[in-house]
Amino acid sequence: MKLCMIGTGYVGLVSGACFSDLGNSVVCVDIDKNKINQLKQGIIPIYEPGLEEIVKKNIKNKRLSFSFDFDKSIKDSDIIFICVGTPKKNNGNADLTQVYHVAKKLSKLINKYKIIVTKSTVPVTTGDKIQTILSKKNKDNKYSIVSNPEFLREGEAIRDFIYPDRIVIGSNDVKANRIMNNLYAPLISKGAQYFHTSRRAAELIKYSSNAFLATKITFINEIANLCEKIGINIEDISIGMGLDKRIGGRFLRAGPGYGGSCFPKDTKAIISTANFFKTNLSLVKSVVKSNDNRSKLLLLRVYKILNNRIKNKNITFLGVTFKANTDDMRDSSSIKMIPALSKKGAKIKYFDPTGFKNEFSKIKNVKYCNSIKNSLDKADLVIIHTEWNDFKSINFKNFAKNKKFIIYDMRNIYSPSKIKKQGFKYFSVGR
Ligand code: UDX
């Protein structure tokens, strides 16, 4: 199969590389010439474990290529994946400018039967609108529009692509479904569930899944608040609940709230869609509100831990990304917490395995350190903000020779009894 991925962001690049690894011929196109030139040399613009190896391997065996020649790449391909961004507009809606721009360009380039697949996360009925755009220039229907939402987690994207729980294909015609089933056959034969449904249902499955997962996280975070008041360990609750197969144990880790490129954006977008169709998603609205308040709630705990004396306190953040194994800062709770602490006069140091972050470059008294050791120097309070493996076996005693700092573990990565035994004051979430 000849595939074309439009957009070499997270989704397009990972999917394109993995499809080429499955034996397809894949061209990835982008309007960013600089990025394409870098990718041609195997330089990867995002941090994703395992991606570089797959890209380099498939460039070498000539199954994967990069181009900014949009027209030629489209004309040569059988299946075209739209993987452009759908960022959040101020009113919460998904901004579909890039998707429709691509659709208009595509409408002039259909020279033989093609399948056009939306992988970008798009609100329900977007496929219908793409169809309308294409039909204006293509009366003979030599194309099918399919929805194939991605469920790739950052940091786990290669694994999620190769071993997906499910592949969702939304198409309203048999031919497109047969071809998509063939394309995914190597994954289906390894046990992935293939679910064919209507295009509109596939679009909504994506948003509903993310809204549900965000709800699960928010639920456990609120229960963690209750546990803190009663003196119960939230982890016992997560385990005890998760053993019920109807609930399942995943996405029940309490922490600083969900962030990243998807959950915050998609929860707001599904609310917008529901509003448009005059339906009240009151539960998802509460989830958004609760998660938006979460950083404030954890900040209040920081103030309490420091007896409300924040001025000139040395606070160290270990990890600042929204989760481990990514360099992504989008909607990370650290973006709210660090400026708020700086405003109160704290001196902040941070270390993150993915390096310096521009987001803090203009914030007063915030310093990037290039090692855990440097970041812990003279600390009064150490906040474990992101659950990187690099932090899981730190021997804090080695770094606190003269004075003992307080530790606030926002990801519950340490055993409270072990840390306390070493003489540190230790706080965590919901326990
Ligand atoms: C998510 C979806 O999982 C993926 O299917 C979708 O396609 C894109 O969005 P991602 O944003 O990479 O993936 O991260 P994910 O691992 O889902 O975590 C999202 C947020 O929830 C992070 O901030 C994470 O720290 C938080 N989280 C996750 C928790 O706080 N507790 C948990 O138990 C799980």
Side-chain angles (χ1 to χ4, degrees), residues 196-257:
H196 176 233
T197 180
S198 70
R199 194 168 61 211
R200 286 183 171 195
E203 289 168 340
L204 193 55
I205 285 169
K206 166 72 191 208
Y207 280 101
S208 310
S209 301
N210 278 356
F212 184 78
L213 290 170
T215 304
K216 219 175 160 185
I217 296 166
T218 307
F219 178 85
I220 207 70
N221 282 339
E222 293 201 345
I223 298 295
N225 297 342
L226 182 60
C227 285
E228 280 175 18
K229 293 273 161 64
I230 316 174
I232 295 171
N233 186 338
I234 186 64
E235 302 208 324
D236 291 345
I237 307 298
S238 299
I239 294 168
M241 280 177 66
L243 287 172
D244 183 331
K245 288 197 178 70
R246 292 170 303 175
I247 299 173
R250 294 169 73 189
F251 279 70
L252 283 180
R253 269 180 293 114

Side-chain angles (χ1 to χ4, degrees), residues 2 18 35 63 136 141 226 257 267 280 332 347 364-365 380 427:
K2 285 190 163 181
C18 290
K35 203 171 177 190
R63 284 203 296 249
K136 283 187 186 144
N141 270 343
L226 182 60
T267 41
N280 184 10
S332 175
K347 294 178 184 158
K364 211 173 141 197
N365 282 330
D380 297 301
F427 299 88

Side-chain angles (χ1 to χ4, degrees), residues 150 153-154 206 217 251-253 259 262 322-323 411:
E150 55 83 19
R153 285 165 302 163
E154 292 184 20
K206 166 72 191 208
I217 296 166
F251 279 70
L252 283 180
R253 269 180 293 114
C262 290
F322 82 96
K323 65 170 194 177
R411 299 284 183 165

Side-chain angles (χ1 to χ4, degrees), residues 162-181:
I162 302 171
Y163 302 105
D165 287 341
R166 81 294 207 196
I167 296 155
V168 174
I169 298 294
S171 85
N172 303 337
D173 71 88
V174 180
K175 185 175 175 184
N177 178 36
R178 185 172 38 79
I179 296 172
M180 292 305 289
N181 192 293

Side-chain angles (χ1 to χ4, degrees), residues 303-363:
Y303 302 156
K304 203 170 162 201
I305 289 170
L306 293 173
N307 293 322
N308 279 317
R309 291 195 199 104
I310 318 298
K311 201 163 181 270
N312 292 326
K313 282 279 166 12
N314 295 309
I315 303 181
T316 298
F317 273 71
L318 288 182
V320 285
T321 53
F322 82 96
K323 65 170 194 177
N325 298 322
T326 177
D327 58 355
D328 202 335
M329 288 294 290
R330 282 176 283 181
D331 272 299
S332 175
S333 46
S334 68
I335 288 182
K336 287 188 191 162
M337 291 179 186
I338 289 183
L341 289 165
S342 147
K343 219 172 164 187
K344 283 196 172 276
K347 294 178 184 158
I348 318 273
K349 286 185 187 169
Y350 72 93
F351 167 77
D352 191 278
T354 57
F356 173 83
K357 302 294 169 200
N358 267 328
E359 284 78 359
F360 305 127
S361 58
K362 294 206 172 85
I363 314 282

